[in-house]
């Protein structure tokens, strides 16, 4: 029941993910951050098999950092997305493919914001808005209705809240909490949390 | 649902008088959910050779990257572009390499031979070539495309008429297939120019 979605605005990209870590019927924790800050201007929102998710995104993060150390310049979002696709595609035909769906958002100086949809079977596509999981049925519909190119951040957050409301009211085992992260010319950072169940201090 | 129908696709290439046209739909889906409506299925290998890849999108992307790699290497070594017939054999060989763990793709290759004669061919997912003199089809809308093309095809069409015929055949066929559609991409290639157009069809 993991929900990950994102959209691109005029000079920013936003990704949203639910924050429940679930094992069968048990919710281990409800403040699990599934959006990794890949580097200063990239975000990776991942959903899927929990072990694979952390392992794979950390692997991508470290390789992106290695490229920057070796070459002195950071990868573009498109390059990082294609690298990610390559790793998923290579693993696909080996013994254990990664079961991770990825939405990669980034901001490049000359190109602006971009969002890449990368399936667990390594289908790569550059999109304006994308979503994974059961929540995608509701998010994609809401975004199709309300999204237009050149939205301001406030309008986009409003749309994100509409999507979260739909998920909460219409998905049977809806995750209670979400995290929103944004990437723009000033970098990738956490924007807000949307909590309807406060995780307790010991979680 | 079969793995070939996971993403949904429609591809067709048709021969005209010293020209050819290759067209595809634009939908990228995950089974019954549509992810994008601007997916590129047809890729240019060089100015006189195009390949369209239908079937599983991830394998189509991997296969396209491998083919571009092989063609670029060929260009460096031979200092010329590959002939369509040679390229078709390359595609066939690459696919048969994976005979017991195949790429779930059906390519459509279309190009202009040395003497400006159009060449089209398709292969199955393990590289069995099918050369045709009139048209070749691939994808989830393949059966509909066979019917539409057979009805509308005439030999030796000029580029403008070929464009009209192929567009109508593609749009009519994808309207009968829920997994493909959302418009079309069409390339009309003559010895002197390549025209690329986007078709607007039923967006559903």
């Amino acid at each position: 029941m993991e929900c990950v979605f994102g959209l691109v605005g005029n000079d920013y990209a936003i990704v949203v993910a639910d924050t429940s870590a679930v094992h069968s019927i048990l919710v281990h924790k409800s403040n699990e951050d599934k959006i990794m800050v890949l580097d200063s201007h990239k975000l990776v929102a991942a959903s899927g098999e929990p072990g694979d998710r952390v392992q794979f995104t950390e692997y991508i993060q470290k390789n992106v950092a290695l490229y920057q150390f070796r070459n002195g310049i950071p990868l573009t979002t498109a390059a990082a997305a294609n690298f990610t696709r390559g790793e998923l595609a290579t693993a696909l035909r080996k013994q254990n493919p990664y079961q991770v769906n990825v939405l990669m958002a980034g901001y490049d100086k000359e190109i602006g914001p971009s969002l890449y949809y990368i399936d667990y079977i390594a289908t790569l596509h550059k999109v304006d808005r994308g979503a994974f999981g059961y929540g995608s049925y509701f998010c994609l519909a809401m975004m199709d209705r309300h999204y237009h190119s050149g939205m301001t951040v406030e309008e986009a957050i409003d749309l994100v809240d509409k999507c979260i409301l739909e998920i909460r009211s219409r998905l049977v085992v809806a995750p209670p909490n979400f995290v929103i992260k944004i990437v723009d010319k000033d970098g990738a950072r956490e924007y807000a949390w949307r909590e309807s169940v406060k995780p307790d201090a010991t979680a | 649902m079969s793995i070939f129908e996971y993403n949904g696709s429609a591809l067709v290439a048709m021969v005209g008088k010293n020209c050819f046209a290759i067209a595809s739909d634009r939908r990228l889906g995950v089974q019954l959910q549509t992810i994008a409506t601007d997916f590129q299925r047809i890729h240019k290998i060089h100015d006189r050779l195009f390949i369209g890849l239908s079937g599983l999108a991830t394998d189509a992307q991997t296969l396209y990257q491998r083919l571009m790699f092989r063609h670029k290497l060929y260009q460096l070594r031979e200092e010329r572009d590959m002939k369509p017939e040679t390229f078709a054999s390359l595609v066939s060989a690459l696919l048969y390499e994976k005979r017991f763990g195949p790429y779930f793709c059906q390519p459509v290759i279309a190009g202009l031979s040395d003497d400006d004669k159009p060449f089209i061919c398709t292969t199955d997912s393990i590289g069995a070539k099918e050369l045709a003199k009139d048209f070749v089809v691939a994808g989830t809308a393949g059966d509909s495309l066979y019917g539409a093309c057979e009805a509308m095809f005439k030999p030796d069409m000029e580029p403008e008429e070929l464009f009209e015929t192929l567009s109508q055949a593609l749009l009519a066929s994808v309207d009968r297939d829920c997994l493909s559609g959302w418009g079309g991409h069409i390339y009309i290639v003559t010895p002197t120019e390549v025209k690329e157009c986007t078709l607007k069809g039923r967006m559903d």
Side-chain angles (χ1 to χ4, degrees):
Chain A
M1 309 289 176
E2 293 189 342
C3 307
V4 168
F5 62 98
L7 55 111
V8 171
N10 50 8
D11 55 0
Y12 61 86
I14 286 178
V15 278
V16 184
D18 76 290
T19 60
S20 307
V22 169
H23 190 98
S24 172
I25 57 167
L26 176 70
V27 178
H28 279 300
K29 63 192 289 222
S30 42
N31 57 355
E32 167 84 2
D33 189 353
K34 295 178 187 169
I35 306 181
M36 170 175 279
V37 174
L38 204 65
D39 73 8
S40 63
H41 286 75
K42 287 185 204 40
L43 288 170
V44 168
S47 76
E49 188 72 37
D52 280 346
R53 173 170 53 78
V54 174
Q55 174 78 349
F56 182 70
T57 52
E58 279 185 3
Y59 173 69
I60 299 296
Q61 185 188 52
K62 300 320 171 197
N63 272 281
V64 167
L66 183 62
Y67 181 94
Q68 179 156 3
F69 287 135
R70 278 186 177 150
N71 299 289
I73 51 164
L75 278 170
T76 59
T77 313
N82 274 289
F83 171 69
T84 307
R85 187 205 105 81
E87 291 303 308
L88 281 167
T90 312
L92 183 65
R93 299 273 177 167
K94 294 220 164 101
Q95 290 83 339
N96 57 334
Y98 295 108
Q99 287 170 49
V100 187
N101 297 308
V102 163
L103 268 181
M104 186 179 287
Y107 185 89
D108 305 297
K109 235 173 18 173
E110 298 85 36
I111 303 166
S114 46
L115 181 66
Y116 288 88
Y117 170 103
I118 309 167
D119 207 311
Y120 75 101
I121 48 172
T123 309
L124 170 73
H125 195 61
K126 184 168 183 296
V127 292
D128 280 338
R129 51 201 188 279
F132 283 112
Y134 286 114
S136 68
Y137 294 112
F138 310 107
C139 300
L140 285 175
M142 289 307 281
M143 290 194 282
D144 282 345
R145 171 69 182 84
H146 295 291
Y147 176 89
H148 53 89
S149 57
M151 289 171 87
T152 63
V153 180
E154 291 71 33
E155 285 174 322
I157 295 298
D158 201 52
L159 175 53
V160 162
D161 283 327
K162 284 195 172 81
C163 293
I164 292 175
L165 184 61
E166 273 308 297
I167 292 171
R168 282 189 177 144
S169 54
R170 291 295 186 182
L171 185 57
V172 61
V173 195
N177 302 336
F178 291 82
V179 63
I180 304 172
K181 294 199 180 176
I182 187 170
V183 60
D184 60 16
K185 63 175 175 19
D186 298 323
R189 60 193 180 281
E190 197 176 278
Y191 184 90
W193 283 71
R194 296 284 187 256
E195 288 172 330
S196 67
V197 167
K198 281 265 181 291
D200 56 11
T202 57
Chain B
M1 203 180 262
S2 127
I3 190 74
F4 287 98
E5 295 162 8
Y6 187 77
N7 293 123
S9 52
L11 264 180
V12 56
M14 208 180 253
V15 157
K17 191 172 169 107
N18 290 338
C19 65
F20 68 86
I22 181 167
S24 76
D25 73 323
R26 304 183 77 198
R27 179 181 179 269
L28 174 70
V30 169
Q31 300 193 311
L32 292 178
Q33 187 183 49
T34 300
I35 301 297
T37 56
D38 56 358
F39 191 64
Q40 271 275 56
R41 280 202 170 80
I42 299 174
H43 304 283
K44 185 173 93 157
I45 303 294
H46 60 78
D47 278 330
R48 293 157 65 100
L49 178 57
F50 285 76
I51 181 164
L53 290 158
S54 71
L56 195 62
T58 175
D59 282 347
Q61 287 175 332
T62 302
L63 199 54
Y64 165 64
Q65 286 174 351
R66 287 191 70 192
L67 287 165
M68 269 317 283
F69 169 73
R70 294 292 297 264
H71 184 253
K72 282 182 177 175
L73 217 49
Y74 182 94
Q75 276 178 327
L76 285 171
R77 288 184 180 136
E78 303 258 335
E79 293 177 11
R80 65 184 176 91
D81 292 331
M82 234 188 221
K83 282 200 274 245
E85 296 85 354
T86 318
F87 187 73
S89 295
L90 171 66
V91 173
S92 174
L94 271 184
L95 289 170
Y96 197 78
E97 254 175 30
K98 305 280 183 194
R99 171 65 178 82
F100 299 108
Y103 291 118
F104 298 109
C105 282
Q106 199 183 347
V108 163
I109 299 140
L112 284 175
S113 296
D114 284 337
D115 44 358
D116 290 348
K117 250 172 53 84
F119 168 89
I120 53 170
C121 118
T122 184
T123 82
D124 69 2
S125 59
I126 48 173
K129 267 189 289 188
E130 188 209 306
L131 307 168
K133 294 198 175 63
D134 39 18
F135 56 85
V136 289
V137 305
T140 49
D143 291 342
S144 304
L145 279 164
Y146 269 126
C149 290
E150 195 68 66
M152 300 187 201
F153 178 78
K154 284 197 322 271
D156 288 329
M157 280 185 280
E158 294 295 328
E160 293 75 27
E161 199 191 348
L162 182 63
F163 167 72
E164 279 304 321
T165 308
L166 196 57
S167 314
Q168 295 299 333
L170 179 73
L171 291 176
S173 309
V174 302
D175 284 348
R176 282 289 183 182
D177 176 25
C178 57
L179 298 174
S180 54
W182 285 92
H185 259 130
I186 180 166
Y187 293 80
I188 301 107
V189 182
T190 62
T192 47
E193 61 159 1
V194 171
K195 226 166 45 133
E196 179 188 346
C197 305
T198 312
L199 304 170
K200 184 143 198 273
R202 280 184 64 114
M203 302 300 204
D204 64 1

